[in-house]
Amino acid sequence: MYRYSPSNCIILPNLLTFQLCDGFVASVEARLNQVKLAGLVTLVSRTLSPANALDFTSKILGARARLGVDAAMCLDMDIVTIKIKLGDTETAKTMLEAAKEQLSSVKPSESVIFSKYYKAAAEYRKVGTHMVQWLL
Amino acid sequence: MTRLHCIMTMFSFFCIYVVQCNLQVVGPANEFYSSALMFLSYTSVEELTAEDRYTLATDMALASITGDDIYNFGDVLATPILASLKDTPNEWMLHVVETMNAGNVEQLNHVINAHKAQYFAQPALAAKHDSVVKQKIVLLCLVNVAFERPSHERLIAFSDIATRAGIPVDQVCHIFHRI
């Protein structure tokens, strides 16, 4: 059985991927599993520049109530990663601290949320070119 | 020319200062290492792209080698992530981690000498080679010397430790002060 994952999906050209998500997926997003939708948003945002990815992810996060806590947390962690890329480590730190408190209320079965949180936390701890910061 | 040189030098120092101020909020290696291990416990390595696997494996290898309080390499070696370094330019990092895990000073020196240029091209390794890496391998060596023996034969001569750790006998006492 074909199992979906970022490494075995077909990466479409950036613009087409974005248009697919912004057009077709946007029209049915309310009917999708919201955590899966967050996964799609992550895939698309990775094909965009950090500034565009921030705009795109923030736009999706505008419907926070519909997304629910789990999907919103996934997208919040994407924002943290993007903020780190943009050099805004202060905001990233604040968001990570807020997410850490929320993690205790997340069901352990939702491993994708924990995965996203710890990925963002690891990214936060390694800003810079190859660990120069660890010397400080 | 001299004035321009002076301005450029001052600008360089300013840039370094700004970068250091910015980077003081991140790190240390230990924190990265524990977050990355937690990430791997919730994520299948197969789900990562080849590029992400390579980057993460490189970063985790560097963190485990240079992290001040990281002595348990088994955690990262138990995950399949470091295998991503095989057949890549950073495969030597995997060998460094494996030899440190084995506490084998001689083998570590051999690996470092064989990849001296790449090893010292890494800023973290170059800066922490004497202060962290050397001390860490000696401590790991001591632990291995002790646990290789049966529990009733753990009276170990300083000369044995010095030979295995590749240090003078009079420095063996300092190792115990660090434990």
Side-chain angles (χ1 to χ4, degrees):
Chain A
M1 187 180 151
Y2 180 81
R3 184 162 173 256
Y4 169 79
S5 81
S7 59
N8 62 10
C9 73
I10 299 165
I11 302 295
L12 298 168
N14 298 357
L15 184 62
L16 186 57
T17 315
F18 178 73
Q19 285 175 341
L20 185 69
C21 197
D22 206 37
F24 173 70
V25 177
S27 65
V28 293
E29 62 187 11
R31 281 177 277 168
L32 294 175
N33 175 319
Q34 297 301 291
V35 176
K36 300 279 183 205
L37 173 69
L40 278 175
V41 172
T42 304
L43 274 180
V44 174
S45 68
R46 286 187 68 168
T47 67
L48 304 172
S49 68
N52 287 339
L54 184 61
D55 285 347
F56 176 65
T57 311
S58 303
K59 185 180 152 192
I60 304 286
L61 258 176
R64 195 176 276 271
R66 190 204 67 224
L67 286 165
V69 177
D70 296 349
M73 264 192 83
C74 287
L75 293 180
D76 277 337
M77 293 305 98
D78 284 348
I79 298 258
V80 169
T81 310
I82 298 165
K83 290 275 184 191
I84 291 165
K85 281 182 190 164
L86 292 168
D88 187 0
T89 47
E90 277 303 312
T91 308
K93 184 183 179 187
T94 311
M95 290 180 75
L96 277 172
E97 284 168 355
K100 194 173 186 181
E101 287 175 19
Q102 277 188 300
L103 269 189
S104 55
S105 61
V106 173
K107 279 181 273 178
S109 58
E110 293 289 356
S111 63
V112 66
I113 300 169
F114 291 92
S115 169
K116 289 259 189 185
Y117 170 78
Y118 286 111
K119 185 177 187 341
E123 287 293 325
Y124 172 72
R125 296 292 176 185
K126 59 151 263 191
V127 179
T129 48
H130 256 108
M131 320 304 172
V132 174
Q133 76 281 3
W134 291 347
L135 313 179
L136 302 173
Chain B
M1 185 64 186
T2 312
R3 197 172 170 184
L4 177 66
H5 184 254
C6 184
I7 290 169
M8 285 178 69
T9 308
M10 284 175 70
F11 180 70
S12 301
F13 278 121
F14 175 73
C15 289
I16 291 167
Y17 173 76
V18 169
V19 168
Q20 288 192 340
C21 286
N22 187 34
L23 293 179
Q24 273 170 356
V25 295
V26 293
N30 302 350
E31 295 283 343
F32 167 81
Y33 185 71
S34 57
S35 292
L37 279 176
M38 287 300 286
F39 167 66
L40 286 175
S41 69
Y42 287 105
T43 314
S44 167
V45 170
E46 288 77 36
E47 286 180 18
L48 303 174
T49 62
E51 188 187 347
D52 286 348
R53 278 199 293 266
Y54 176 64
T55 306
L56 184 62
T58 301
D59 293 343
M60 289 191 78
L62 283 173
S64 62
I65 298 164
T66 58
D68 290 340
D69 298 324
I70 301 169
Y71 289 92
N72 188 355
F73 294 90
D75 286 343
V76 71
L77 287 170
T79 71
I81 191 69
L82 289 191
S84 312
L85 293 174
K86 282 179 183 165
D87 303 321
T88 71
N90 287 343
E91 186 171 356
W92 59 272
M93 287 186 189
L94 172 62
H95 300 315
V96 171
V97 174
E98 283 172 344
T99 51
M100 288 189 82
N101 184 51
N104 191 330
V105 178
E106 196 179 336
Q107 185 65 24
L108 179 70
N109 289 336
H110 176 73
V111 174
I112 291 174
N113 283 331
H115 302 92
K116 208 167 192 169
Q118 297 104 304
Y119 182 91
F120 288 102
Q122 295 288 340
L125 291 175
K128 295 208 168 181
H129 179 68
D130 289 330
S131 61
V132 176
V133 181
K134 273 183 166 179
Q135 293 190 27
K136 197 187 270 195
I137 187 66
V138 168
L139 286 175
L140 290 165
C141 174
L142 175 63
V143 170
N144 277 282
V145 168
F147 285 96
E148 277 170 7
R149 297 166 181 238
S151 57
H152 59 278
E153 284 178 22
R154 287 186 183 155
L155 275 174
I156 308 164
F158 272 25
S159 57
D160 288 350
I161 296 169
T163 307
R164 283 284 296 272
I167 55 171
V169 176
D170 60 355
Q171 284 186 22
V172 172
C173 200
H174 296 297
I175 300 173
F176 290 99
H177 288 200
R178 274 188 56 84
I179 297 175

